[in-house]
Amino acid sequence: LHESCGVCSNCFSKTLIKHSISEDELNDKADYYIYLAKSAEPYRLHCEELTGQTSKEDSTKRQRLFQGILLKDENKKVDEIDLLSVTTTMEAGVDIGSLSAVMMGNVPPQRFNYQQRVGRAGRRGHALSVALTIAKANSHDQTHYSQTERMVSATPKDPYLDIKSSEIAERMVIRQVLQCAFQDTVLENLSDNVHGEFGTDTMWRKENREVVKNWISENKNDIEHIIDCLIVETRLNKSKQDIEKYISEKLIEDIDSKIDNPDYPQKALSEKLSNAGLLPMFGFPTRVRLLYYKKPKKIPANDVVDRNLDIAISSFAPGSEIVKDKELLKAVGFVNYEKNFGEIKEKSGLNELQKNAQICKVCGFTTLSEDIKICPYCDSTEIKSVKVCSPLGFCTDYNADVKDFNGRFDFQPFFTSMSLDAASVLNPIEQKVSNLSISSNILPQNGIVHQINTNEGKLFHIGRLRDTNRFVAPSAYPLNRQPQIFDEKDIALIASKTTGVLTVGIKNTNANINLSSLKSVNEDNYKEIEAAFISWGYLLQRAICSFLDIETNEIEVGFQINREKKSEVFFVERLENGAGYCNYLSGRIFEDVPYVALIKPFNNGNELYDFYVNEKHQSQCASSCYDCIRDFYNQKYHSIMNWRLGLDLSELSKNKDAKIDFSQNYWQSYLKTIVDGFRTSKEVKPNVYVVGYRKKRILISHPFWSQKYIDELKQKYDFDEVKNIIKTEKLTKET
């Protein structure tokens, strides 16, 4: 219906012919919208949102109106709701009646999410219901769009109960000890939280510390009885005596350390200790941060949006936009509010940490514990010292006009990176596990993990807003409304947690192999080495999760260069303070666990290894797929992951002299496909090829081959250039 300058928008030819549509062509049968316009009765489509951010009052009202239940002063034509726009809050547990249709704006992460969402439609005798899923352009959605059986009919994992983790049992023991200790104590200023009532953090220092300390010293038998009751039918990796000794000798000291830790700003002692990992977490983690879009009139505030801290430093960073109740909210800075003698006081929400973060631009080394000039991991002098803040709260511009959301964001949340603090106390295991080097933290508090938002390296320039306690970023304001600020500084945002950490690397290699991911040491292939370790990490993640019978999203995978300048992968337990998985995997409790979990799954004849190398998988998967190492949570690595390189590292993890060439079954057919893409090729020795490309002879090398080994090949065979098989594949496509 547009002239388009005479150019066809489909094939770009200049052959468009004008055509006037006649009245006869505009009939009800030909045009759906004309049919709707000519319908006898217009119909209503009243839409509201229902999310975790919706206030309790609005949530109850909207659910009621959606089900057609109206009060006397409400008008059915105006107030009844036809469509609810919801988040995962509605997956289960909320009764919103019988639905005729469910539409999903993207493909859910896993099959059980999909089942919960589509299962809301078609209940209660509906003759027809529709479940529509919109697949976006990312790799996760497109994979499931073309292979719908993965989401629709995949076999779900069985639920499980962990009866081996002493960390979980210990938290239950501590909770019962505190419950007994406070049984005869009258507590004031009680708060409404699900973790138990043990007073506030200030009351602990004043009086309650002595109450608990005295009860522990006077009730040894009761403590033993509590432990006996809680460890029935368990197979804990810590003895009853060890748990009892910890309660008697170290518990009070540990509570003191959490009270003084600024990372846990909660006032209620039970809530603080739950977030610190000393008490069980009932419900969801409460390291929640609020985005205020109005000054609160009461606490807890209603006019807020909340996110967990590690997400908030991205979603609520200055300049990011959030939608709530059809309104577009733009974060501009930081604030916190506290109730003091009945009044709401505005406080600084910045929470600037005492020490700067030291970040190496070359290898990603990160620490908050020391000031450095030279990176101890890669010897680089490109160290950036950054002021970091772990905000207590965020805010919008309270004086700005509220914008209606029109379906488009001007600014999406910032990207954050996960790094392991160099101050983490990771102890190498003593027993030999093939050619693996393994380290882990014995105590959860010794594994320090950071999510850091540096505004893509530019940092956030902020200052205190005049006549307030709010710190704001001028860049988040329009040019015609720049705020007056003072006490200016550049900061990065950080979310830190302590949890279980396990690092895994290759201990030794022979002279033919170079596994360095430092550009100064391995200029040609350093990116491919990093990709190989990330791929290996996700192969190991699959093996670990199969061994522990847990979901892959319970353990995160990272990559780093360690103090010995070697590449390694690290595994981080997603839950704060962990569940003891990494300590268990290290082999300190059962020596055979590292071999069984990290080595054995990749032996020939093992189900996992045989799946990767079977002909069907090889023919369908060039680098990675959802059958092998891709999933919803590692989308940012999809473009670089390669299961074959990961399997090669698993071979080196067994033996430093493992053959890393193209003689393995999983490389041979792939190599043949590459070689056949060139006009001329020659096998100069078994599985070593030199191909012709643009009048040059190019050696197809493996990314792991060292320069020494390539030089030896150069002396024997004639070639002009060297390209590893990953880069050679790109040449093949170009040819």
Side-chain angles (χ1 to χ4, degrees):
L1 297 177
H2 194 278
E3 293 182 18
S4 188
C5 298
V7 178
C8 174
S9 60
N10 187 42
C11 68
F12 306 112
S13 67
K14 299 179 180 180
T15 56
L16 282 191
I17 301 172
K18 276 190 179 181
H19 174 68
S20 298
I21 300 174
S22 66
E23 186 177 351
D24 291 338
E25 290 175 288
L26 291 175
N27 58 66
D28 295 358
K29 294 180 180 179
D31 193 298
Y32 174 67
Y33 296 101
I34 291 176
Y35 162 75
L36 291 181
K38 290 184 176 180
S39 296
E41 290 286 337
Y43 62 88
R44 174 200 65 210
L45 183 60
H46 180 189
C47 175
E48 295 290 348
E49 71 179 51
L50 190 59
T51 73
Q53 313 306 324
T54 307
S55 67
K56 289 183 179 179
E57 182 181 346
D58 286 338
S59 176
T60 304
K61 182 179 179 180
R62 290 173 191 175
Q63 290 177 58
R64 175 173 56 78
L65 292 174
F66 182 69
Q67 297 178 73
I69 303 170
L70 287 87
L71 303 180
K72 289 181 179 180
D73 60 342
E74 293 170 339
N75 187 322
K76 183 176 179 65
K77 287 186 177 180
V78 177
D79 294 313
E80 187 175 5
I81 297 173
D82 305 295
L83 186 150
L84 283 178
S85 177
V86 305
T87 58
T88 54
T89 308
M90 290 294 115
E91 268 190 26
V94 179
D95 184 7
I96 48 177
S98 180
L99 306 183
S100 57
V102 171
M103 189 185 85
M104 285 158 280
N106 61 356
V107 177
Q110 297 183 66
R111 191 207 62 83
F112 76 87
N113 303 112
Y114 177 81
Q115 181 187 26
Q116 291 280 13
R117 296 175 196 181
V118 302
R120 301 311 299 265
R123 300 179 180 181
R124 302 182 185 177
H126 262 251
L128 175 67
S129 65
V130 176
L132 175 65
T133 304
I134 307 298
K136 293 184 177 178
N138 58 58
S139 58
H140 172 80
D141 286 23
Q142 289 301 306
T143 296
H144 290 88
Y145 176 74
S146 59
Q147 301 174 21
T148 53
E149 70 280 356
R150 292 180 182 277
M151 195 58 67
V152 175
S153 57
T155 304
K157 283 195 173 185
D158 294 329
Y160 71 95
L161 184 65
D162 193 334
I163 58 173
K164 300 176 182 177
S165 173
S166 59
E167 287 84 355
I168 295 174
E170 219 166 54
R171 291 168 194 161
M172 295 297 294
V173 172
I174 294 170
R175 188 188 189 286
Q176 192 59 34
V177 166
L178 293 179
Q179 188 77 35
C180 293
F182 284 115
Q183 192 168 7
D184 299 322
T185 302
V186 178
L187 298 173
E188 298 177 356
N189 300 321
L190 299 182
S191 59
D192 181 19
N193 73 79
V194 298
H195 306 287
E197 291 298 353
F198 305 136
T200 63
D201 52 356
T202 52
M203 290 167 62
W204 171 260
R205 287 294 191 194
K206 289 180 180 178
E207 51 193 275
N208 290 342
R209 185 181 188 278
E210 290 303 312
V211 170
V212 176
K213 184 178 179 182
N214 292 337
W215 189 91
I216 290 174
S217 63
E218 295 169 4
N219 294 273
K220 300 290 185 184
N221 293 336
D222 287 346
I223 294 173
E224 288 183 13
H225 178 65
I226 291 170
I227 297 172
D228 286 335
C229 291
L230 288 170
I231 65 173
V232 172
E233 296 296 331
T234 60
R235 298 195 297 272
L236 300 184
N237 47 31
K238 186 182 286 188
S239 69
K240 170 188 171 180
Q241 290 73 25
D242 289 338
I243 298 176
E244 183 185 349
K245 184 177 180 181
Y246 169 76
I247 298 294
S248 301
E249 298 179 6
K250 293 187 177 181
L251 176 59
I252 299 296
E253 181 183 329
D254 271 1
I255 294 177
D256 288 343
S257 68
K258 305 309 179 189
I259 293 288
D260 297 332
N261 193 329
D263 290 340
Y264 308 111
Q266 298 83 7
K267 297 300 181 184
L269 179 66
S270 60
E271 189 177 5
K272 187 188 288 283
L273 298 184
S274 294
N275 280 270
L278 288 183
L279 291 179
M281 179 65 73
F282 290 99
F284 294 104
T286 47
R287 224 175 36 144
V288 166
R289 297 297 183 265
L290 303 178
L291 171 67
Y292 296 89
Y293 54 92
K294 293 179 183 177
K295 288 185 178 179
K297 296 179 181 179
K298 64 174 185 175
I299 290 180
N302 281 336
D303 300 320
V304 295
V305 183
D306 65 61
R307 294 287 188 274
N308 203 41
L309 179 59
D310 55 349
I311 300 174
I313 62 170
S314 171
S315 297
F316 295 164
S320 289
E321 293 177 338
I322 294 290
V323 177
K324 182 184 179 185
D325 286 337
K326 307 174 187 176
E327 295 178 350
L328 191 63
L329 308 175
K330 188 174 187 177
V332 300
F334 313 93
V335 72
N336 190 34
Y337 292 96
E338 293 181 1
K339 196 170 185 178
N340 190 8
F341 296 106
E343 292 186 26
I344 308 300
K345 298 289 186 181
E346 185 175 273
K347 305 280 187 179
S348 170
L350 204 54
N351 192 26
E352 185 176 337
L353 303 191
Q354 294 179 351
K355 291 193 174 182
N356 289 1
Q358 312 296 319
I359 305 172
C360 176
K361 295 181 181 180
V362 176
C363 71
F365 167 90
T366 304
T367 187
L368 295 178
S369 62
E370 55 184 322
D371 294 329
I372 57 172
K373 301 298 182 184
I374 300 176
C375 176
Y377 285 18
C378 69
D379 296 332
S380 168
T381 56
E382 295 185 54
I383 305 296
K384 193 167 188 176
S385 182
V386 179
K387 288 182 180 179
V388 286
C389 301
S390 185
L392 302 177
F394 301 79
C395 65
T396 65
D397 179 5
Y398 297 160
N399 299 319
D401 293 332
V402 177
K403 292 183 179 179
D404 287 340
F405 180 55
N406 62 2
R408 296 182 59 187
F409 287 101
D410 290 331
F411 204 88
Q412 293 290 347
F414 299 82
F415 173 75
T416 62
S417 59
M418 182 178 71
S419 58
L420 185 61
D421 195 308
S424 298
V425 182
L426 304 179
N427 305 106
I429 63 169
E430 296 178 1
Q431 72 267 26
K432 182 179 179 182
V433 184
S434 300
N435 192 34
L436 283 180
S437 60
I438 301 175
S439 297
S440 74
N441 56 325
I442 298 174
L443 300 174
Q445 55 264 39
N446 290 337
I448 309 167
V449 182
H450 305 298
Q451 291 281 141
I452 300 180
N453 181 357
T454 62
N455 190 12
E456 298 176 340
K458 300 187 291 288
L459 303 182
F460 294 97
H461 182 72
I462 63 169
R464 189 186 295 270
L465 187 64
R466 192 167 298 279
D467 300 325
T468 73
N469 279 317
R470 282 170 266 158
F471 275 86
V472 298
S475 61
Y477 286 75
L479 293 176
N480 61 350
R481 294 191 65 254
Q482 287 293 291
Q484 293 184 336
I485 59 173
F486 62 99
D487 191 13
E488 299 179 41
K489 59 188 77 177
D490 293 325
I491 64 162
L493 306 181
I494 190 169
S496 304
K497 67 179 178 183
T498 56
T499 189
V501 176
L502 180 81
T503 66
V504 180
I506 305 297
K507 187 178 291 185
N508 298 304
T509 60
N510 59 44
N512 293 341
I513 300 297
N514 181 4
L515 294 181
S516 175
S517 56
L518 289 172
K519 187 176 181 180
S520 58
V521 178
N522 193 2
E523 185 174 355
D524 294 327
N525 296 329
Y526 71 97
K527 289 183 178 179
E528 283 74 18
I529 300 300
E530 180 176 343
F533 271 87
I534 290 170
S535 303
W536 183 45
Y538 282 104
L539 284 175
L540 290 174
Q541 184 199 51
R542 292 287 173 107
I544 288 168
C545 292
S546 176
F547 174 70
L548 295 175
D549 196 18
I550 60 176
E551 293 288 345
T552 55
N553 63 347
E554 294 190 50
I555 290 186
E556 297 176 284
V557 178
F559 168 81
Q560 69 172 11
I561 298 168
N562 62 24
R563 288 187 181 274
E564 297 176 358
K565 299 179 175 54
K566 290 184 176 182
S567 306
E568 65 183 11
V569 292
F570 61 88
F571 301 94
V572 174
E573 295 177 38
R574 186 175 290 273
L575 292 177
E576 290 179 53
N577 307 296
Y581 297 141
C582 289
N583 207 17
Y584 180 69
L585 290 166
S586 70
R588 289 193 173 86
I589 301 160
F590 303 110
E591 289 190 3
D592 63 328
V593 167
Y595 176 82
V596 175
L598 307 176
I599 299 288
K600 188 178 179 181
F602 303 103
N603 288 340
N604 195 1
N606 185 277
E607 182 180 354
L608 190 62
Y609 178 85
D610 290 349
F611 164 77
Y612 287 117
V613 302
N614 75 58
E615 187 175 338
K616 181 181 178 182
H617 177 248
Q618 287 194 52
S619 63
Q620 295 177 350
C621 181
S623 55
S624 63
C625 68
Y626 275 79
D627 282 326
C628 55
I629 49 178
R630 287 188 182 187
D631 63 28
F632 179 83
Y633 303 99
N634 60 22
Q635 290 184 67
K636 65 180 178 180
Y637 296 126
H638 283 185
S639 61
I640 66 170
M641 291 196 297
N642 189 305
W643 63 270
R644 290 179 173 87
L645 293 181
L647 282 185
D648 283 343
L649 283 176
S650 73
E651 291 299 312
L652 285 171
S653 72
K654 304 170 194 174
N655 179 8
K656 73 180 182 67
D657 295 315
K659 274 192 175 183
I660 301 300
D661 50 22
F662 301 113
S663 60
Q664 295 83 359
N665 165 270
Y666 52 85
W667 275 116
Q668 288 178 350
S669 59
Y670 183 72
L671 178 65
K672 187 177 186 303
T673 304
I674 299 294
V675 170
D676 290 346
F678 291 91
R679 293 185 181 89
T680 61
S681 62
K682 182 180 180 182
E683 189 174 15
V684 295
K685 63 177 287 191
N687 298 300
V688 176
Y689 281 84
V690 174
V691 299
Y693 178 74
R694 291 184 179 177
K695 298 181 180 180
K696 290 184 178 180
R697 290 168 55 78
I698 297 176
L699 172 73
I700 299 178
S701 75
H702 193 289
F704 296 177
W705 289 355
S706 66
Q707 189 59 48
K708 172 184 174 297
Y709 182 58
I710 291 174
D711 289 342
E712 290 176 1
L713 293 175
K714 179 72 172 175
Q715 293 176 1
K716 296 180 181 179
Y717 313 108
D718 181 29
F719 51 85
D720 304 307
E721 289 185 8
V722 179
K723 295 282 185 184
N724 75 53
I725 194 165
I726 308 300
K727 294 174 181 175
T728 306
E729 181 184 5
K730 296 175 183 176
L731 296 183
T732 310
K733 290 177 180 177
E734 185 180 333
T735 306

